[in-house]
Amino acid sequence: AGGGSGPVPGDGTDPPAPERVLFPPTFSVSEIKNKQRRHFMFLRWKQQQRKEKLALKKKRRKEREALGDKAPPKAIPKTIENQRVYDETTVDPNDEEVAFDEATDEFAPYFNRQTVPKILITTSDRPRGRTVRFCEQLATVIPNSHVYYRRGLALKRIIPQCIARDFTDLIVINEDRKIPNGLVLSHLPDGPTAHFRMSSVRLRKEIKRKGKEPTEHVPEVILNNFTTRLGHSIGRMFAALFPHDPQFIGRQVATFHNQRDYIFFRFHRYIFKSEKKVGIQELGPRFTLKLRSLQKGTFDSKFGEYEWIHKRREMDTSRRKFHL
Amino acid sequence: CPQVVWSMLGNRQFCSYKMTTKTQNFCRNEYNLTGLCNRSSCPLANSQYATVREEKGRCYLYMKTIERAAFPRRLWERVLLSKNYEKALEEIDENLIYWPRFIRHKCKQRFTKITQYLIRIRKLTLKRQRKLVPLRRKIERRENRREEKALIAAQLDNAIEKELLERLKQDTYGDIYNFPIHAFDKALQQQDAESESESDAEREEEDDDEDEDKREFVEAEDSELSDFEDMDKLETSSEEEQEEEEEVEKKASHSKSKGKAPLKGPARRKRPYIEIEYEEETEPSTKTKAA
């Protein structure tokens, strides 16, 4: 420590640091006991590191230019998406097994155009203003949907009634401390139930530069990045909310974009300015979902058969591993 | 002896079960019958005392007599009361026969209260219970941070725009948007034979839609409308010019890809009439582009 702090006292007093500071090799900034001096030395060390880095960059760039055409191609930067751990359940578009499964699963009637989606939107008990408004806006976004108040009814009793009245999907928005924070999406005649955690909900008035109200036209649906089997089934669940034939006159599009297990929902109006440029304008609410569990039957938290539950200890171990 | 106890604890000295408030004194002793700190309700200061307490949904009558005052372990005698309300009341009466009226009465009152709240518990458990799941701060923070980063990585606007353009290219919109050029280009480049019939069909369609009036109009002025309908109506040049059109279109597409939309309109429209000039102009540009 004595040897290490040799150059320090003098340097601490004069502000302009010398260009090249030679530290004795065994010196480390963290050994200085005095906080002010230590901080100062650390800043100087940081500056030095930055300079070195800049010099290195310049050198590399010069080399690259010098080589000209023969330069090796630029390295692709590593991103989390690049480094993603390969999930063995990734769906291959030509997979027959998947295609067969999809032809026979609960959404087959929808995709064969036998059923028209009819959605019931409700909340948990005693919803506060924000949640109510969000429900209303969601109802404008999703065609053929109805909002009903909960009034303390048990979900298990609502579900048979819904089935009797021909509803195909049930959305329950859970609320906590006056903001919506959870979403339960249940496909009704006996379909899977997905429970999501909902975050960053923005109502229409909170969106900047928003357009007018969404019209009654049936919007298009975009589902991005649902690669694994699980993601595929969730994607189909979302697709089953919207009627099959979008009305292109309305020029509205609802997007479910999956990125790193977060599903971002946006609702836009688009206009093609030319065939290579399209302008989009955000209407409608936006929110993000994170899947918590997927259950095989309709909503039944005690006796249901869970297809997938997010288990934090097992599944959150790697930063490069995603499930959707 | 109990008087001594009371004079010590109740009035003057410290009783650890006693809780004082502005208006009243409460007794926290679990065997207390009324819950107040009184001479007649203090289980420590009365050698003959009884209470009703419930455990796991069953009610018991606890009794304390002077004879067992020396044996703290056996002090409180416990009697299970029947589940039937009236029978239990009779049992209390039986067990506390010849006991002071106050204790009997208060025991029955307490028993009544206890049965009422047990009934309410049972009713509530049948209804839906709200399950409170605690939020873990660290996990919440982590998920919020990851969500922000995922949002940045997602580049939603770009993704949506790309997807929409893809769909336009693949003709999912059919005939609504009349930018047939791009699709037209692709078709021409990829499949020559088919493209002829396609382009023929399209041109014929356009023929039907827009007549020579349009053509004249366009020729006279440099119209660069951002409106899709008028933009890219191909002139009905005959099939012979088709190959030339191909080349010129390729060049047109090159010039297009430079990003100068306005150039498209007049340049293309002038094509059938001032062909030679057009080719010369664009050739050098393509060459420079390659360089």
Side-chain angles (χ1 to χ4, degrees):
Chain A
S5 52
V8 171
D11 291 336
T13 49
D14 58 287
E19 271 298 320
R20 253 309 118 101
V21 177
L22 296 166
F23 293 122
T26 54
F27 173 72
S28 121
V29 180
S30 54
E31 275 174 17
I32 307 177
K33 298 292 183 178
N34 184 331
K35 183 166 178 174
Q36 241 182 355
R37 270 188 233 148
R38 189 173 62 230
H39 185 59
F40 182 76
M41 294 308 284
F42 175 72
L43 290 178
R44 271 221 274 142
W45 178 80
K46 263 294 200 198
Q47 275 177 13
Q48 211 186 347
Q49 297 292 97
R50 253 182 271 151
K51 263 192 217 143
E52 284 173 15
K53 191 170 172 189
L54 204 58
L56 195 61
K57 257 195 198 165
K58 268 196 190 155
K59 197 174 75 164
R60 261 207 217 123
R61 192 151 30 109
K62 277 213 187 102
E63 282 175 11
R64 179 175 219 104
E65 280 173 16
L67 283 182
D69 276 335
K70 292 181 288 176
K74 269 196 177 174
I76 311 173
K78 292 188 199 170
T79 62
I80 295 187
E81 282 78 22
N82 288 346
Q83 308 294 97
R84 175 176 174 175
V85 165
Y86 176 71
D87 200 335
E88 64 252 358
T89 61
T90 310
V91 167
D92 180 31
N94 307 329
D95 202 346
E96 294 164 354
E97 191 188 317
V98 171
F100 178 70
D101 271 343
E102 289 183 0
T104 50
D105 78 348
E106 292 107 350
F107 296 108
Y110 166 75
F111 283 103
N112 295 339
R113 300 190 186 229
Q114 288 163 8
T115 52
V116 175
K118 191 174 171 195
I119 321 264
L120 178 70
I121 304 183
T122 182
T123 65
S124 52
D125 277 342
R126 297 193 174 264
R128 312 299 286 180
R130 217 184 134 82
T131 314
V132 171
R133 269 175 276 147
F134 176 66
C135 283
E136 289 168 20
Q137 292 182 5
L138 201 59
T140 58
V141 165
I142 305 180
N144 205 4
S145 60
H146 308 267
V147 182
Y148 284 102
Y149 283 124
R150 184 71 171 278
R151 290 159 117 249
L153 301 168
L155 273 183
K156 289 209 199 140
R157 293 215 197 105
I158 299 184
I159 287 179
Q161 289 188 19
C162 286
I163 300 180
R165 296 190 201 186
D166 259 352
F167 279 97
T168 55
D169 287 277
L170 173 69
I171 297 183
V172 183
I173 298 188
N174 189 42
E175 190 201 352
D176 175 50
R177 293 222 195 123
K178 307 178 193 173
I179 47 168
N181 74 345
L183 185 97
V184 174
L185 170 57
S186 178
H187 190 71
L188 271 187
D190 194 60
T193 308
H195 174 41
F196 298 93
R197 172 197 127 101
M198 182 153 63
S199 43
S200 39
V201 175
R202 302 276 175 266
L203 302 176
R204 290 201 69 241
K205 63 179 182 180
E206 292 160 13
I207 299 180
K208 303 179 186 169
R209 294 185 287 272
K210 66 173 181 304
K212 297 192 182 156
E213 294 237 336
T215 58
E216 290 291 323
H217 295 112
V218 172
E220 295 177 47
V221 180
I222 293 183
L223 299 164
N224 268 345
N225 270 349
F226 286 96
T227 48
T228 62
R229 282 297 285 270
L230 179 64
H232 218 62
S233 46
I234 300 279
R236 281 159 68 78
M237 273 190 99
F238 285 131
L241 291 177
F242 293 90
H244 244 295
D245 306 303
Q247 293 169 321
F248 297 122
I249 316 176
R251 283 189 283 130
Q252 291 174 139
V253 57
T255 309
F256 291 90
H257 181 105
N258 171 40
Q259 185 84 14
R260 302 182 194 175
D261 278 356
Y262 288 95
I263 303 173
F264 298 100
F265 171 82
R266 300 284 185 271
F267 193 74
H268 291 280
R269 178 166 279 144
Y270 62 89
I271 181 167
F272 282 107
K273 297 184 195 157
S274 71
E275 70 246 26
K276 292 227 174 159
K277 263 181 54 163
V278 59
I280 54 175
Q281 189 190 41
E282 181 157 11
L283 342 160
R286 64 155 82 157
F287 51 89
T288 68
L289 301 172
K290 185 161 197 263
L291 181 68
R292 271 213 273 221
S293 68
L294 180 64
Q295 190 183 10
K296 257 220 165 352
T298 53
F299 182 75
D300 190 341
S301 42
K302 275 193 253 177
F303 304 112
E305 179 197 339
Y306 279 93
E307 216 177 284
W308 189 84
I309 309 184
H310 177 81
K311 297 204 179 119
R312 186 177 57 91
R313 295 210 144 201
E314 300 165 15
M315 299 181 179
D316 269 353
T317 44
S318 160
R319 285 186 211 212
R320 313 276 180 257
K321 185 168 177 16
F322 306 113
H323 312 284
L324 274 189
Chain B
C1 200
Q3 287 97 331
V4 175
V5 171
W6 178 250
S7 57
M8 285 292 132
L9 295 181
N11 293 335
R12 293 194 278 142
Q13 291 203 358
F14 180 74
C15 172
S16 68
Y17 298 106
K18 182 172 176 181
M19 298 226 296
T20 56
T21 31
K22 277 191 210 161
T23 44
Q24 254 191 350
N25 295 334
F26 293 104
C27 183
R28 266 191 353 201
N29 194 326
E30 49 192 16
Y31 288 102
N32 189 309
L33 194 49
T34 53
L36 312 172
C37 190
N38 287 330
R39 172 70 182 84
S40 48
S41 339
C42 186
L44 307 170
N46 289 312
S47 34
Q48 193 188 42
Y49 199 72
T51 333
V52 177
R53 274 170 64 189
E54 68 95 19
E55 204 170 318
K56 292 189 192 156
R58 299 304 310 271
C59 298
Y60 298 93
L61 175 64
Y62 286 80
M63 290 180 288
K64 161 179 155 174
T65 41
I66 312 177
E67 291 92 22
R68 299 196 300 270
F71 313 108
R73 213 153 59 92
R74 298 177 236 158
L75 188 54
W76 290 96
E77 177 191 343
R78 188 162 94 156
V79 172
L80 178 64
L81 299 172
S82 100
K83 276 194 185 170
N84 186 343
Y85 182 67
E86 284 100 26
K87 261 206 209 143
L89 286 182
E90 286 169 11
E91 281 176 15
I92 294 180
D93 264 334
E94 259 179 60
N95 279 307
L96 298 184
I97 197 169
Y98 307 132
W99 280 53
R101 237 178 303 154
F102 175 77
I103 294 185
R104 253 185 291 151
H105 186 234
K106 288 294 179 187
C107 274
K108 284 189 252 182
Q109 271 188 342
R110 197 179 163 94
F111 174 69
T112 313
K113 223 7 164 261
I114 289 178
T115 46
Q116 284 173 349
Y117 83 63
L118 285 176
I119 292 173
R120 203 182 329 149
I121 290 178
R122 275 178 237 135
K123 216 191 297 182
L124 281 180
T125 51
L126 287 179
K127 282 193 184 171
R128 299 150 48 226
Q129 303 269 8
R130 186 165 296 203
K131 183 173 176 193
L132 295 175
V133 174
L135 293 177
R136 277 142 167 197
R137 206 175 312 176
K138 187 169 167 188
I139 295 177
E140 287 295 306
R141 271 196 279 153
R142 197 206 299 169
E143 296 200 335
N144 289 337
R145 223 174 20 237
R146 288 200 182 160
E147 186 190 318
E148 285 164 15
K149 296 196 177 167
L151 183 62
I152 297 174
Q155 294 179 351
L156 282 170
D157 290 341
N158 290 349
I160 298 178
E161 289 174 6
K162 245 197 322 187
E163 177 68 29
L164 288 171
L165 288 172
E166 275 289 321
R167 290 191 183 180
L168 182 67
K169 259 199 267 182
Q170 278 157 12
D171 225 13
T172 42
Y173 299 130
D175 268 341
I176 311 178
Y177 299 111
N178 297 309
F179 308 131
I181 302 301
H182 207 80
F184 200 51
D185 273 348
K186 289 250 151 176
L188 285 176
Q189 286 163 18
Q190 286 165 16
Q191 304 137 17
D192 294 340
E194 289 180 15
S195 69
E196 284 186 338
S197 48
E198 268 185 26
S199 58
D200 266 348
E202 285 186 21
R203 260 184 266 129
E204 279 168 25
E205 280 180 29
E206 287 145 28
D207 243 349
D208 298 337
D209 296 343
E210 315 285 322
D211 272 350
E212 291 122 39
D213 299 328
K214 259 291 163 111
R215 222 195 299 160
E216 286 175 12
F217 168 71
V218 158
E219 191 187 20
E221 304 158 12
D222 289 356
S223 57
E224 34 174 70
L225 310 166
S226 53
D227 220 10
F228 5 93
E229 281 121 25
D230 303 340
M231 261 291 257
D232 303 323
K233 291 303 181 187
L234 265 190
E235 282 71 21
T236 63
S237 26
S238 52
E239 286 182 40
E240 306 124 34
E241 292 180 324
Q242 205 230 326
E243 285 132 46
E244 291 170 336
E245 273 185 17
E246 265 187 64
E247 295 172 17
V248 176
E249 270 175 33
K250 280 185 200 155
K251 288 165 191 166
S253 65
H254 283 312
S255 64
K256 235 197 303 178
S257 55
K258 266 198 251 168
K260 293 188 186 169
L263 261 189
K264 246 196 286 183
R268 189 170 300 116
R269 264 145 213 152
K270 288 188 191 149
R271 196 202 322 121
Y273 306 94
I274 322 177
E275 277 169 351
I276 308 166
E277 280 186 26
Y278 185 73
E279 285 173 1
E280 282 178 5
E281 282 173 13
T282 49
E283 274 176 26
S285 65
T286 50
K287 280 190 189 154
T288 49
K289 263 210 83 172

